[in-house]
Amino acid sequence: MSILVTGGLGYIGSHTVVELINNNFEVIIVDDLSNSEKFILNNIEEITGKRPIFYPFDLTRKELLTQVFEAHNIEGCINFAAFKAVGESMEKPLDYYENNLFSLINILQEFRKRNISNFIFSSSCTVYGQADQMPIDESTPLKEAESSYGKTKQMGEDILKDFSKAYQKRVSLLRYFNPIGAHPSALLGELPSGIPNNLVPYVTQTAAGIREKLNVWGDDYPTEDGTAIRDYIYVLDLAKAHVAALKKLINSEEETVLDIYNLGTGKGSSVLEVVKAFELANDVKVPYQICPRREGDITIAYANADKAEKELGWKSETTLEEALRTTWEWQKYLKERTN
Ligand code: NAD
Ligand code: WQD
């Protein structure tokens, strides 16, 4: 069965492509390389022994997308392609709305025209904002997102709810918590462009000496050690959840399905706990300094992922330390590559 994977050379997409190939799906990638690199395609081939079909173009270019649908018998899509930098989205909201939503609508129009079902959307825990209660389950009320990026996820979810209902389609909205780690082969991982915003890439680059010190954004939160808490989920566990969610849609006897799942570990870790776990896992030092809080940050978010376990038979399996070990191996690989 052929599955379109948009953004399939990106961080989460590339890991998912490997899992799809391991599960005998034929993968067709569309990625414009705006936040990824071509060598990832070779590395996917090295891991799986199969080279996915690859089209390098921007999904907002509707006519090129139509050609892909004409050339292949596509029976489902996992839509990773999006811009994802929260801060940048506030400076360039129109670019974010255009990229993230036009590309989504273009794919959905092809699905509608060709009577295709089975659509998986990369959503985010950002749709919950600072939830009033922990852990966050899928019935937790959504709060208006603070960033334009977050709004593209909320709007994307709304578009897909209407799409599923009006055209009788099977749709799964996957709300990721904080993805971390790299492929155990060290051939796939996150490629932060410029100075990383996210915690784990910044910690990794600090340990590697690329950054002098980690800035810990705030130690005056109402948590045990005063630093903010998140749910860090290993990227390959996350990738496996996509295959499980896709199989559920494909095997469903219902014509119309709207699944929503939180994908997290169910466990919260503070910023300082992540730093310590990284040091312990990799036997390296991560110098840090305490700084004021970062604007827009919430105090705490971790998932209740019981629904995914019950309905998809999926749960996170990898510990924080194990995940952070793979990150460090990936960093070493990147260093060797550029030498
Ligand atoms: P990523 O930037 O590594 O991957 C996205 C890929 O999409 C990139 O390879 C990029 O080149 C491609 N792309 C972007 N716009 C495109 C377009 N118009 N046409 C074709 N290709 C395009 O990001 P990621 O971390 O792998 O995230 C994947 C998805 O998961 C995104 O939708 C993101 O919003 C969502 N998400 C990510 C996180 C996270 O922390 N990484 C958390 C929650 C949700
Ligand atoms: C985690 C914690 C920081 C960097 C973002 C998006 C969210 C989702 C995941 C896509 C926070 C602290 C960080 C640093 C630090 N992405 N930190 N020093 O903010 O939970 O979520 O990525 O959907 O939408 O907003 O992740 O990794 O940026 O931060 O102290 O240099 O680490 O303050 O408490 P966040 P993050």
Side-chain angles (χ1 to χ4, degrees):
M1 180 182 268
S2 297
I3 302 297
L4 173 66
V5 182
T6 74
L9 295 190
Y11 175 43
I12 307 166
S14 57
H15 289 82
T16 305
V17 166
V18 165
E19 285 304 307
L20 286 169
I21 294 173
N22 288 343
N23 281 271
N24 298 318
F25 287 98
E26 191 189 35
V27 174
I28 297 151
I29 296 174
V30 175
D31 194 309
D32 65 359
L33 302 170
S34 56
N35 198 36
S36 51
E37 290 187 36
K38 185 79 188 288
F39 76 86
I40 294 295
L41 191 64
N42 299 335
N43 290 9
I44 291 173
E45 187 178 4
E46 200 175 324
I47 296 168
T48 62
K50 270 206 180 144
R51 194 173 182 81
I53 300 162
F54 171 53
Y55 293 97
F57 68 84
D58 178 346
L59 290 152
T60 62
R61 298 191 55 191
K62 210 172 173 168
E63 68 291 352
L64 295 180
L65 186 62
T66 299
Q67 286 172 20
V68 173
F69 276 88
E70 272 164 7
H72 304 276
N73 181 25
I74 291 168
E75 292 181 77
C77 173
I78 308 184
N79 184 34
F80 293 102
F83 292 159
K84 63 165 182 178
V86 173
E88 185 186 61
S89 80
M90 302 302 279
E91 288 153 28
K92 303 177 177 171
L94 287 183
D95 292 354
Y96 272 67
Y97 290 123
E98 179 175 4
N99 192 62
N100 295 4
L101 297 178
F102 286 16
S103 50
L104 170 65
I105 291 168
N106 287 346
I107 307 163
L108 297 183
Q109 288 285 23
E110 295 296 335
F111 266 51
R112 179 186 60 79
K113 277 189 285 186
R114 294 165 203 279
N115 208 14
I116 309 171
S117 202
N118 309 319
F119 192 93
I120 295 188
F121 180 63
S122 296
S123 190
S124 165
C125 63
T126 197
V127 299
Y128 296 112
Q130 177 59 76
D132 297 330
Q133 279 188 341
M134 290 300 132
I136 299 170
D137 67 22
E138 292 80 358
S139 67
T140 301
L142 307 190
K143 292 193 176 155
E144 192 185 294
E146 291 210 9
S147 70
S148 302
Y149 164 73
K151 286 180 189 158
T152 69
K153 293 296 166 194
Q154 293 181 333
M155 290 177 193
E157 287 199 357
D158 285 343
I159 290 168
L160 281 160
K161 285 177 187 166
D162 291 353
F163 168 78
S164 167
K165 198 169 155 198
Y167 307 112
Q168 294 87 51
K169 300 291 185 192
R170 293 184 291 271
V171 167
S172 198
L173 310 177
L174 302 183
R175 295 176 178 158
Y176 317 152
F177 281 66
N178 291 53
I180 59 161
H183 196 267
S185 64
L187 291 169
L188 306 174
E190 193 165 5
L191 280 175
S193 59
I195 302 172
N197 284 309
N198 294 118
L199 178 62
V200 170
Y202 206 109
V203 165
T204 312
Q205 292 196 359
T206 306
I210 302 168
R211 313 280 156 209
E212 201 190 324
K213 269 183 201 152
L214 168 74
N215 298 314
V216 174
W217 305 124
D219 71 345
D220 57 350
Y221 284 101
T223 63
E224 216 158 284
D225 65 20
T227 64
I229 290 177
R230 301 287 185 274
D231 185 339
Y232 297 93
I233 167 90
Y234 179 49
V235 65
L236 200 58
D237 287 341
L238 196 59
K240 290 177 181 162
H242 288 74
V243 177
L246 180 66
K247 285 185 177 169
K248 177 172 181 290
L249 292 185
I250 292 168
N251 294 328
S252 170
E253 280 165 16
E254 307 292 323
E255 231 186 326
T256 309
V257 177
L258 183 75
D259 283 337
I260 303 180
Y261 297 110
N262 283 347
L263 299 179
T265 67
K267 184 176 173 288
S269 305
S270 74
V271 175
L272 290 181
E273 280 170 348
V274 171
V275 170
K276 298 237 166 65
F278 192 96
E279 291 185 330
L280 220 83
N282 299 311
D283 197 19
V284 286
K285 272 283 166 223
V286 181
Y288 69 86
Q289 60 186 2
I290 305 294
C291 298
R293 290 182 183 193
R294 184 171 71 176
E295 208 190 312
D297 268 356
I298 55 171
T299 304
I300 183 165
Y302 60 92
N304 173 334
D306 290 354
K307 189 172 174 224
E309 183 171 358
K310 202 165 140 227
E311 295 185 13
L312 300 177
W314 170 90
K315 68 177 193 316
S316 141
E317 285 175 343
T318 310
T319 64
L320 182 61
E321 285 77 10
E322 283 164 354
L324 293 172
R325 218 169 287 142
T326 61
T327 310
W328 189 231
E329 292 307 313
W330 166 246
Q331 178 63 36
K332 289 194 239 168
Y333 167 81
L334 284 180
K335 191 172 175 216
E336 270 168 35
R337 235 192 133 254
T338 48
N339 278 344

